Amino acid sequence: MTPPLGTATRDRLRIAIQKSGRLAEPARSLLAACGLSWRESRDKLFCYGESLPVDLLLVRDDDIPGLIADGVCDLGVVGRNELDEQAGERARNGLPPAYRELHGLGFGQCRLMLAVPEEWEWQGPQQLQGLRIATSYPAILAGWLQRQGIDAHVVELSGSVEIAPRLGTADLICDLVSSGATLAANHLKPVENLLDSEAVLAGPAGGFDDARAGLAQMLLRRVDGVLQLKDRKLLMFSAARESLPALERLLQDAGPLVIVPTQGGPAQGGSGQNGALSLQTMCEGAVSWQQLEELERAGARGLMVLTVERSLA
Ligand code: ATP
Ligand code: ZN
């Protein structure tokens, strides 16, 4: 049964994620990789946590900061752009901070940028004095303009910001950009970056003082583990001691080269089979065939590239 929303449940953690949209699927995959599983309710708005007392609430991304502020949800996966905007709005209304960013999540990357008509020659922010800028992010934009010492008019729009210059409702825009294709299609070009954004795990400004504290801490540790392992590969091989300097040169970008102790091996004062050492190192990103062949030419034998599934640092 779906517990009533708005009541503070103390022994279960409730995480708000986007119901559908850019962040929905990656948020679910990340939480699943953290070992969470759920039973979905019929209305598909609430998912009851089965493997752990961690439930999901599926909502619009714009609602997530408010749900955390009101204590309806404990954590949320939301774009930094949305979180900062709503935090800025609270500050402008004299409200205290209600949430904070706990962890960047490495997906949903985009930038909040100023974009001007293609034919403009951009000379810098001073050029904006007295102009009209259309945006869905008035608080972030107003803060930026203030820091730049510029007096411009912020035209708040809830959508289709990119057509405002063509409609004559604004001179330029401030909007989210990822590939830049939407800007190009509207004959606009990006000129200033106001914010580097990605999906983040957000929580209440004050933290928790009950069972949720332990659950949130465990989740954060798992998120950290999952993100650190992303794209990491463990490289294992054996080699004679005299090959080490050449191999280390080839593996400069990898982590430290570790000699794995083998029975009767170097740790015990001897060496492994045929006098070879067992070696391993952690590599960021893919390890190509070409790299493996170079390592082999430098004396590495029995090369193996392994995917790391789980680790606790
Ligand atoms: P909802 O129905 O939940 O309100 P939405 O239309 O507001 O959905 P999406 O378009 O799915 O939201 O974007 C969600 C988040 O994805 C944005 O707040 C932003 O953090 C991120 N994002 C990444 N790239 C882009 C992009 N090119 N345009 C807009 N958002 C992007
Ligand atoms: Zn939205």
Side-chain angles (χ1 to χ4, degrees):
M1 202 187 76
T2 307
L5 302 178
T7 52
T9 46
R10 303 277 149 195
D11 53 350
R12 298 184 71 84
L13 199 68
R14 193 180 281 165
I15 309 180
I17 65 168
Q18 198 186 21
K19 183 175 182 346
S20 59
R22 289 183 161 92
L23 308 183
E25 211 285 313
R28 269 182 176 239
S29 311
L30 173 69
L31 294 173
C34 289
L36 306 186
S37 63
W38 312 272
R39 196 169 61 225
E40 300 208 15
S41 71
R42 266 185 208 192
D43 56 14
K44 298 233 165 35
L45 292 176
F46 187 87
C47 303
Y48 184 83
E50 289 194 312
S51 53
L52 282 169
V54 180
D55 307 320
L56 292 189
L57 195 65
L58 310 184
V59 296
R60 288 197 56 193
D61 66 340
D62 320 48
D63 294 336
I64 293 176
L67 289 167
I68 298 173
D70 296 342
V72 176
C73 285
D74 303 311
L75 301 175
V77 176
V78 62
R80 181 177 295 135
N81 49 296
E82 201 57 55
L83 199 68
D84 285 8
E85 174 62 24
Q86 296 198 28
E89 206 178 298
R90 283 182 70 89
R92 283 209 291 181
N93 292 326
L95 294 168
Y99 27 74
R100 68 198 163 103
E101 188 176 317
L102 302 176
H103 211 302
L105 299 177
F107 59 86
Q109 284 99 341
C110 56
R111 296 194 286 177
L112 184 64
M113 300 201 75
L114 285 186
V116 301
E118 265 164 5
E119 61 277 12
W120 283 24
E121 202 175 306
W122 182 246
Q123 283 144 5
Q126 289 311 320
Q127 205 175 335
L128 300 172
Q129 202 69 30
L131 297 184
R132 298 162 304 156
I133 312 174
T135 190
S136 308
Y137 296 88
I140 298 179
L141 175 59
W144 184 84
L145 288 169
Q146 198 180 11
R147 287 194 297 282
Q148 302 287 326
I150 289 155
D151 199 9
H153 306 283
V154 176
V155 180
E156 186 175 348
L157 296 178
S158 55
S160 303
V161 170
E162 64 282 356
I163 59 168
R166 260 193 296 160
L167 296 178
T169 48
D171 302 300
L172 66 150
I173 68 165
C174 167
D175 204 7
L176 294 178
V177 180
S178 44
S179 70
T182 309
L183 289 186
N186 287 282
H187 307 288
L188 297 168
K189 61 179 179 188
V191 289
E192 292 280 337
N193 182 12
L194 275 60
L195 176 75
D196 282 311
S197 186
E198 63 178 325
V200 302
L201 188 66
F208 308 106
D209 54 7
D210 49 38
R212 291 173 297 175
L215 285 169
Q217 203 181 8
M218 179 175 71
L219 184 69
L220 270 170
R221 193 147 178 248
R222 291 190 184 183
V223 164
D224 215 36
V226 169
L227 294 180
Q228 276 187 23
L229 286 187
K230 217 174 162 190
D231 305 330
R232 277 199 171 180
K233 299 276 182 280
L234 182 69
L235 177 66
M236 297 181 76
F237 56 94
S238 61
R241 192 174 286 276
E242 51 273 25
S243 308
L244 280 186
L247 291 167
E248 272 169 343
R249 266 196 302 282
L250 287 173
L251 290 166
Q252 263 168 17
D253 294 337
L257 193 55
V258 177
I259 301 176
V260 186
T262 50
Q263 216 168 18
Q268 277 76 33
S271 51
Q273 213 183 0
N274 306 325
L277 303 172
S278 281
L279 299 155
Q280 67 181 43
T281 186
M282 197 65 87
C283 301
E284 300 284 341
V287 182
S288 68
W289 284 110
Q290 194 189 339
Q291 282 170 299
L292 290 186
E293 285 152 6
E294 279 172 10
L295 288 164
E296 196 173 46
R297 279 195 291 276
R301 295 291 172 264
L303 281 150
M304 248 194 297
V305 182
L306 295 109
T307 304
V308 185
E309 198 166 301
R310 245 165 239 146
S311 115
L312 278 180

